[in-house]
Amino acid sequence: MSGTAADRAHAPADPTRAPADNAHASADDPVRAPRIALISATPTAMAPAVAGLAEEFPAAEPWSLLDDRLLADAPQDGPLPPALVDRMRRLIGHALAGGADGVLLTCSLYGSVTETVDTPVPLLAPDTAAFERALALSSGTGRVLVLASFETAMRDSVARFSAASAASEASAASAASVAAASARVGSAVAAPAAVGSAASGSGAEVVGVVAPDAFDAAREGNLPALRDALRDACLPHLTGADVVLLAQYSLAPAAASLSTALGVPVVSGPQAAAAALRSALTGSPL
C-alpha cells in the first residue's frame, strides 16, 4: 500500500475520478456513519468483512461490492494481468464516486493493486494490518504459520508476508543504527530493544500451510468443519509457532475457535483491517 491509511485520509483528490456522491450525508445530519466500501472477489469474503467492521468499527456503515469473477479469472501463477488490475481500479473508483470514506479490498490476490492507486481516503489491502499484527505477536522474529485453503492463496500470502517481515526487520536495523550512532556522539542513548531486534537478524520464520478441506467448509458456512480442517492442517507445524495468520477472509469466522483449539493467537484480516480503518478515520488507537 502506498503510504499509510492515515496519509491517504489527507491525500489530494484524483481530478480524473468522478466526484463523490455524498447523498447519504445531509445538512440535517452533519454527523454520519463513515461509509466503508468492501470490495470482494468471492461471496464468502463478504460476511467476514462486514463482521470485522461490526466487531472493531461498529460506527461504520459497510457497503459491499462484489465481482465474483475476479478470483476465477485470476491466473494460477504469476502477476495479475493488466486487464484485471484495471478492473479492480474501476471498482475502487466506483466506491469513491459513491461516497466511500474508506475502501478495503478483501481478496489477498488483489492487494497489490492498492500500490497503484492514489485515493483521498484510506485504501487498505486485505492483510496489511494483519501482517503488522502478526509481526508484533511474533516479535518480528518468531514462527508464523500462514494458513490458506488453497495453494495459490498460500503462496501469495507467504511471499507478501515475508516481504513485510523483511521490511520490518530492515526498518528496525536502520533505527538501531541511528540510535547507536547517536549514542556514540553523546546526543542520545541507544534503545536496547531496537538493538536487540536488529541483532537477531533472522526475521520471522514463515511456514505456509494449506487446508484444502477448509475451502468447501467455508463456502458452505460450516463453522465446526472449517475449524477442524484448519486445526488439523496446523497441528503438524504447530511446535514453536507464535501465531497463525489466516490468508483469506473466508477463513476468518473460525479465528476465535481455532485459537482456542491450537492455544496460540490467530490473526484474521477483517478484524485487523477494521481496526486500522477505525484508527485512520477517528484517530482512536489500534
Side-chain angles (χ1 to χ4, degrees), residues 37 40 57 61 86 154 160 172 187 214 218 223 239 245 261-262 282:
S40 299
F57 193 7
E61 172 190 80
D86 288 344
M154 183 275 288
R160 289 183 298 104
S187 61
L223 187 55
T239 301
L245 173 64
L262 296 177
T282 70

Side-chain angles (χ1 to χ4, degrees), residues 24-238:
H24 59 300
S26 70
D28 296 331
D29 183 22
V31 179
R32 61 174 177 82
R35 174 176 289 185
I36 306 299
L38 308 169
I39 303 180
S40 299
T42 173
T44 57
M46 297 171 67
V50 171
L53 284 177
E55 181 177 337
E56 296 287 348
F57 193 7
E61 172 190 80
W63 177 22
S64 296
L65 302 175
L66 172 67
D67 178 345
D68 64 1
R69 296 301 304 175
L70 280 171
L71 189 58
D73 290 349
Q76 292 297 311
D77 294 292
L80 292 171
L84 288 182
V85 173
D86 288 344
R87 204 157 101 198
M88 178 57 79
R89 287 170 60 93
R90 288 196 298 272
L91 285 168
I92 294 170
H94 175 68
L96 296 173
D101 299 295
V103 181
L104 172 63
L105 309 189
T106 72
C107 179
S108 61
L109 292 178
Y110 285 85
S112 60
V113 177
T114 61
E115 300 286 351
T116 72
V117 182
D118 290 322
T119 66
V121 303
L123 169 64
L124 270 66
D127 38 25
T128 300
F131 288 173
E132 294 172 356
R133 185 173 292 183
L135 285 170
L137 288 170
S138 68
S139 300
T141 57
R143 190 180 209 199
V144 179
L145 304 186
V146 178
L147 181 59
S149 65
F150 60 97
E151 187 78 18
T152 304
M154 183 275 288
R155 290 200 305 268
D156 174 74
S157 292
V158 163
R160 289 183 298 104
F161 180 74
S162 297
S165 176
S168 176
E169 184 186 2
S171 177
S174 176
S177 297
V178 170
S182 297
R184 285 195 297 272
V185 299
S187 61
V189 177
V195 172
S197 175
S200 67
S202 59
E205 178 192 0
V206 185
V207 179
V209 179
V210 177
D213 292 341
F215 186 88
D216 286 338
R219 184 176 56 186
E220 295 164 3
N222 187 336
L223 187 55
L226 177 60
R227 178 205 58 217
D228 291 349
L230 297 175
R231 178 202 61 205
D232 293 348
C234 285
L235 286 176
H237 311 280
L238 192 61

Side-chain angles (χ1 to χ4, degrees), residues 221-269:
N222 187 336
L223 187 55
L226 177 60
R227 178 205 58 217
D228 291 349
L230 297 175
R231 178 202 61 205
D232 293 348
C234 285
L235 286 176
H237 311 280
L238 192 61
T239 301
D242 295 315
V243 60
V244 174
L245 173 64
L246 299 182
Q248 299 151 258
Y249 275 40
S250 58
L251 309 181
S257 59
L258 180 62
S259 179
T260 299
L262 296 177
V264 299
V266 174
V267 176
S268 69

